[in-house]
Amino acid sequence: MASNATKIVCPPPMKATSNGAFQGDSPLDFAVPLLILQICLVLVLTRVLAYLLKPLKQPRVIAEIIGGILLGPSALGRNKTYLDKVFPKRSLTVLDTLANIGLIFFLFLVGLEMDPKSLSRTGKRILSISLAGITVPFVLGIGTSFVLRNTISKDVDGLAFIVFMGVAYSITAFPVLARILAELKLLTTDVGRMAMSAAAVDDVTAWILLAIAVALSGSGRSPIVAVWVLLCGCGFVVGAILIFRPLFAWMGKRTQEGEPVGETYICATLGAVLAAAFMTDLIGIHALFGAFVLGVLVPKEGPLGIALVEKVEDLVSGLFLPLYFASSGLKTNVATIQGLQSWGLLVLVIFTACFGKLVGVIGVSRVCKVPWRESFTLGVLMNSKGLVELIVLNIGKDRKVLNDQTFAIMVLMALFTTFITTPIVMIIYKPSKRVGLAEADYKNKTIESIDGSSQFRILACFHSTKNIPTMINLIEASRGSGRPEGLCVYALHLTELSERSSAILMVHKARKDGLPFWNKGRKDSDHIVVAFQTFEQLSHVSVRPLTSISAMSSMHEDICNSAESKKAAIIILPFHKHQRIDGALETTRTDLRWVNHKVLQNAPCSVGILVDRSLGGVSQVSASDVSSSITVLFFGGRDDREALVYAVRMSEHPGIKVAVIHITMQLESSGDIAVIEMSGESPVESHLLDEKVLSEFEKKISQNPFLKYEKRLLSNSAEVLDVVQEFSKCSLFLVGRMPTGAVQHVLNGRSDCPELGPIGSLLVSPDLATTASVLVVQQYYNQPPSDLAVVYPEDLDSK
């Protein structure tokens, strides 16, 4: 008897590579070229969306989630021809496999970001806020799960579904939150510290709850299997601690600071990550848990963890994660949300998720006496979900715990809660509002305005250890002597925030348990820490640490806000070029130059740009050994007066010699030359103020044998160059950025670096043979310098 059963024919597996179009093969019918096309499509779409969302200060994860949804059946996938050609079902296995390999290593990086020591020292207030931010949403998630099971999720496993919903509601995305805090300039504030600490506890708790949910979802028919899965999972964690923790510690000890980590150690660690992922998948939890556990066990101090991040993160974050979002987007079909009931459930899910986080966090924060505005900001920040939420939902989808409609609703909830975080926080807790409160008391915005009884405050900025010796020696020279208030220096470490996971490790370094980036109770081998600690102990200068972690395009905002909040009289910035061994200056990074330009335009006080030619040598000089000669080239104007006043203060140091060369220009050529005063002063007023400052300096010469004053009458640029060459053996040239008078016309062609002005550009030109460092000073004025307005476009990213 013939069978009437329909025979199901499976499509043949895809071959890896084609023979090429000339031999009649279509690349879309083969696995490798199709995968390459899918990767390129995903990368282009997500990067374009990230660029479009950048003005809204949204983290890149938002663009990647939206990009994944657009590529799936919700948008482009409605075209069946496109879906069958670009994302055919038989290719999804390869795409999912590659995406999950990337996810495994991403979870390893997330584990690297977790510092168990910091979590163990979490205070009761942070722990209470974190637990409230988990418990209340978890309970509401359980309540919502009953509503969903009675409507659109009737065919799912009850217990696993309840736990998955609770986890999805209670989770806070630690990496995404750090990105949002960085964009909002809140990383090193009290609110940012509390949010990061609470989110770290949330993350660990959520992974534990998710492991339980996965064990329950794969239990099959017998609940005893779930118990065995959990027990084996606990055994794996204990075994990993006993085996891998001492192994990683041994690797860390075998790697010295400043030396590259051995390839054997890197390969062994990455192999161990894959082995751990295999073990947890074998147990029945999920492969990503093994990778996460190993990441937590890697030592956070020392070069091993940093090297692992550098080796893995670019490929994972830049390539594999967008693939994971594309794979998730292909599972998300927003069209399944149909009818009033489905849209009502979406509103219910979003409302309860937000309500649970806000009520839990705000309630306990108020009990802990956190102010209302900070409490509400903390609640909004803790409500961000993003990538981690998507991982939870994908696991639930793969385990058949979530059906298509529920999955789409939860993805939209994660997208909405993360998207609204930034705009709400910007409205209720904008950093500029907080800084502006102290502006009324900010009076000493220039060195010239500081009297003898006021404290001299400097904001000294540095990017790397190369800037440290000269910066410290300049600070030592600036301390003067015999002043009751003395000198207070705010050392601002400028750290670039990139899209890389290592930026999160910088957060721990910058603000660990709320302490400054050098904490005397910590064992830290950082050269910056050692240098500033030693200087503070040996000198009479109060040094206070600050850390800026921001993108290069907005780093100037951190610098200006820090100067305003600390009421600094001058900001010292490193020049964007450094000295080579042969003495020539070479550019380190062009974007550092544009940071300096922006600071000059927006600074709330005077600004000095320091050209480093090893002032005092390549190491810190002790106070008793200071022996430096400073030359001030004085042409006139407010910037030159600021430079002169600064030099007078330096002359109070017993090891400093100061020579002031007052240069007057008398041009040889006939005809009238229009001199434009860019300082906002009339020529008469400027001349009177110059004479006053010079006369006060001349009075000090009789009291200090280390002071020298000369007048020079010059007529052309060659004579200016001769004078500069005459004093080229000094340690430091101190000049104003924009001198007044005819010198601007004479040296107009030498202004290669507008941020240094004509004299500063001359002092750093290759035509001048000198080893002297240069400090170019711009005095604060209530209008930005007009000569810098057209040097670069508003958007620094175009440079």
Side-chain angles (χ1 to χ4, degrees):
M1 232 179 118
S3 173
N4 293 327
T6 303
K7 185 177 181 180
I8 300 175
V9 179
C10 295
M14 300 181 72
K15 293 182 180 179
T17 58
S18 70
N19 294 318
F22 289 108
Q23 299 190 36
D25 286 348
S26 172
L28 299 182
D29 294 333
F30 296 85
V32 173
L34 180 59
L35 180 62
I36 292 173
L37 177 64
Q38 292 170 345
I39 292 174
C40 293
L41 181 62
V42 169
L43 291 181
V44 170
L45 181 60
T46 54
R47 291 292 177 169
V48 169
L49 288 172
Y51 178 79
L52 295 176
L53 291 173
K54 191 172 184 180
L56 300 178
K57 295 185 179 295
Q58 292 294 331
R60 199 173 73 186
V61 64
I62 293 291
E64 291 171 335
I65 293 176
I66 295 175
I69 294 175
L70 292 178
L71 290 172
S74 300
L76 296 176
R78 290 176 175 270
N79 187 326
K80 297 300 181 183
T81 303
Y82 152 82
L83 203 60
D84 292 339
K85 288 290 185 180
V86 181
F87 291 102
K89 290 184 178 180
R90 57 179 179 163
S91 73
L92 297 185
T93 301
V94 178
L95 183 64
D96 284 345
T97 301
L98 194 61
N100 277 279
I101 290 293
L103 183 64
I104 288 172
F105 283 107
F106 174 76
L107 263 294
F108 172 67
L109 294 177
V110 172
L112 276 173
E113 296 165 3
M114 294 293 174
D115 189 353
K117 294 180 181 178
S118 295
L119 293 178
S120 64
R121 294 192 296 266
T122 301
K124 293 182 179 179
R125 182 172 68 168
I126 299 298
L127 188 61
S128 301
I129 293 172
S130 178
L131 291 178
I134 295 173
T135 306
V136 178
F138 192 87
V139 172
L140 290 178
I142 292 176
T144 307
S145 68
F146 286 105
V147 178
L148 294 175
R149 282 203 69 210
N150 291 327
T151 52
I152 62 174
S153 301
K154 296 179 180 180
D155 54 340
V156 298
D157 180 43
L159 184 57
F161 180 71
I162 290 173
V163 179
F164 262 102
M165 290 297 296
V167 174
Y169 268 57
S170 59
I171 205 166
T172 297
F174 179 81
V176 175
L177 178 61
R179 175 68 47 193
I180 293 173
L181 289 170
E183 291 287 351
L184 297 177
K185 311 296 183 186
L186 296 175
L187 259 180
T188 53
T189 63
D190 291 335
V191 169
R193 176 185 60 82
M194 289 191 292
M196 289 297 293
S197 301
V201 177
D202 260 20
D203 236 19
V204 174
T205 307
W207 291 121
I208 296 172
L209 293 174
L210 183 58
I212 297 174
V214 171
L216 293 173
S217 66
S219 61
R221 298 175 182 175
S222 174
I224 299 178
V225 176
V227 177
W228 276 111
V229 170
L230 290 175
L231 290 177
C232 290
C234 294
F236 167 80
V237 173
V238 174
I241 293 174
L242 295 177
I243 297 173
F244 289 107
R245 187 175 182 181
L247 180 62
F248 290 145
W250 178 79
M251 290 181 182
K253 291 179 181 179
R254 297 271 296 179
T255 305
Q256 301 297 324
E257 288 282 353
E259 296 183 1
V261 179
E263 183 184 359
T264 304
Y265 297 155
I266 299 294
C267 293
T269 304
L270 298 181
V273 171
L274 294 175
F278 174 80
M279 288 301 299
T280 50
D281 190 81
L282 179 65
I283 291 171
I285 304 178
H286 196 285
L288 59 85
F289 287 101
F292 176 75
V293 171
L294 254 66
V296 173
L297 296 179
V298 173
K300 303 302 179 286
E301 298 178 358
L304 179 61
I306 297 174
L308 287 168
V309 170
E310 291 176 347
K311 299 289 185 182
V312 176
E313 64 182 346
D314 286 337
L315 185 64
V316 171
S317 299
L319 182 65
F320 286 128
L321 273 186
L323 289 186
Y324 185 78
F325 288 111
S327 176
S328 303
L330 294 172
K331 303 173 188 175
T332 306
N333 190 357
V334 179
T336 58
I337 308 175
Q338 295 179 349
L340 186 61
Q341 182 189 67
S342 297
W343 288 105
L345 290 173
L346 173 62
V347 174
L348 174 66
V349 167
I350 292 175
F351 174 77
T352 51
C354 297
F355 181 79
K357 276 290 184 183
L358 291 175
V359 169
V361 173
I362 294 175
V364 176
S365 298
R366 290 298 299 149
V367 172
C368 297
K369 298 181 180 180
V370 178
W372 270 109
R373 191 166 65 133
E374 282 76 4
S375 299
F376 189 76
T377 303
L378 195 57
V380 174
L381 290 169
M382 294 289 290
N383 195 38
S384 61
K385 302 185 184 301
L387 173 62
V388 183
E389 170 88 355
L390 201 61
I391 294 173
V392 173
L393 298 177
N394 272 285
I395 294 175
K397 184 75 163 55
D398 294 338
R399 299 270 171 157
K400 308 297 182 183
V401 176
L402 303 177
N403 59 26
D404 292 343
Q405 192 171 355
T406 307
F407 180 77
I409 288 175
M410 297 302 292
V411 168
L412 291 181
M413 181 270 286
L415 183 63
F416 178 81
T417 53
T418 307
F419 187 88
I420 65 172
T421 300
T422 300
I424 292 179
V425 174
M426 287 180 67
I427 293 172
I428 63 177
Y429 203 77
K430 195 171 184 179
S432 59
K433 293 181 180 179
R434 294 178 284 112
V435 174
L437 296 176
E439 189 174 1
D441 300 328
Y442 191 9
K443 297 179 180 178
N444 294 327
K445 298 185 177 185
T446 66
I447 305 176
E448 191 176 8
S449 64
I450 300 176
D451 55 33
S453 61
S454 299
Q455 188 181 58
F456 181 28
R457 298 187 177 189
I458 297 177
L459 181 69
C461 304
F462 56 93
H463 298 281
S464 65
T465 54
K466 293 179 181 179
N467 310 133
I468 300 302
T470 295
M471 191 68 74
I472 288 182
N473 291 331
L474 179 66
I475 293 170
E476 169 61 30
S478 304
R479 68 178 175 87
S481 62
R483 294 178 181 263
E485 290 294 328
L487 173 66
C488 180
V489 176
Y490 296 93
L492 181 60
H493 188 185
L494 303 175
T495 306
E496 182 186 8
L497 179 73
S498 65
E499 293 288 347
R500 310 173 72 172
S501 300
S502 58
I504 314 305
L505 292 175
M506 297 177 192
V507 178
H508 291 296
K509 180 180 178 181
R511 198 101 185 230
K512 191 173 184 180
D513 295 326
L515 297 174
F517 71 83
W518 67 68
N519 171 23
K520 297 179 181 179
R522 287 172 52 193
K523 295 180 180 179
D524 200 332
S525 58
D526 196 307
H527 300 298
I528 296 174
V529 175
V530 175
F532 276 105
Q533 269 189 335
T534 305
F535 175 68
E536 186 175 21
Q537 292 171 359
L538 297 179
S539 69
H540 300 285
V541 178
S542 173
V543 182
R544 301 179 186 178
L546 298 172
T547 304
S548 163
I549 304 177
S550 59
M552 296 300 292
S553 59
S554 60
M555 188 172 286
H556 67 282
E557 296 177 8
D558 279 3
I559 297 173
C560 295
N561 288 339
S562 298
E564 187 172 354
S565 63
K566 303 305 178 184
K567 301 181 179 63
I570 189 170
I571 301 170
I572 305 295
L573 298 170
F575 191 46
H576 70 280
K577 295 182 180 181
H578 74 275
Q579 189 176 31
R580 297 194 311 233
I581 297 177
D582 61 0
L585 294 173
E586 68 175 2
T587 301
T588 51
R589 289 183 57 178
T590 306
D591 46 9
L592 297 179
R593 179 182 187 181
W594 307 122
V595 171
N596 290 352
H597 276 244
K598 277 290 190 181
V599 173
L600 286 170
Q601 277 198 317
N602 300 280
C605 60
S606 295
V607 180
I609 297 181
L610 178 62
V611 181
D612 184 2
R613 288 195 179 113
S614 302
L615 174 63
V618 295
S619 61
Q620 177 190 344
V621 179
S622 62
S624 59
D625 295 332
V626 171
S627 178
S628 299
S629 57
I630 298 175
T631 300
V632 181
L633 301 177
F634 188 89
F635 293 86
R638 73 167 66 245
D639 291 351
D640 281 28
R641 290 198 302 273
E642 187 80 348
L644 178 57
V645 172
Y646 196 4
V648 170
R649 184 181 182 94
M650 289 182 179
S651 68
E652 297 175 3
H653 194 289
I656 301 295
K657 299 178 182 179
V658 175
V660 176
I661 313 302
H662 183 194
I663 299 175
T664 304
M665 300 298 300
Q666 183 177 354
L667 300 185
E668 297 174 340
S669 58
S670 59
D672 295 330
I673 296 176
V675 177
I676 301 174
E677 298 294 339
M678 304 181 69
S679 63
E681 299 172 334
S682 66
V684 176
E685 180 185 7
S686 179
H687 179 73
L688 292 175
L689 292 173
D690 292 346
E691 291 297 327
K692 179 182 178 182
V693 172
L694 289 170
S695 63
E696 291 177 356
F697 175 76
E698 289 184 80
K699 292 177 183 178
K700 295 179 180 290
I701 295 178
S702 59
Q703 305 171 1
N704 189 342
F706 295 123
L707 298 182
K708 179 182 179 181
Y709 177 70
E710 290 186 22
K711 288 185 177 182
R712 299 289 181 93
L713 181 63
L714 308 179
S715 58
N716 54 52
S717 60
E719 293 182 357
V720 175
L721 184 61
D722 290 341
V723 171
V724 172
Q725 195 68 58
E726 179 182 344
F727 292 91
S728 61
K729 300 297 183 181
C730 67
S731 305
L732 176 70
F733 279 107
L734 190 52
V735 298
R737 192 180 78 83
M738 292 303 295
T740 59
V743 68
Q744 292 185 35
H745 173 78
V746 172
L747 298 177
N748 186 41
R750 296 183 178 273
S751 237
D752 301 326
C753 300
E755 68 271 29
L756 298 183
I759 303 300
S761 296
L762 173 66
L763 293 172
V764 300
S765 67
D767 300 336
L768 185 67
T770 180
T771 59
S773 297
V774 181
L775 181 62
V776 180
V777 178
Q778 173 184 281
Q779 189 179 65
Y780 169 76
Y781 184 56
N782 56 13
Q783 293 180 1
S786 58
D787 63 305
L788 291 177
V790 296
V791 173
Y792 56 93
E794 277 299 312
D795 187 5
L796 299 180
D797 293 333
S798 63
K799 286 290 182 181

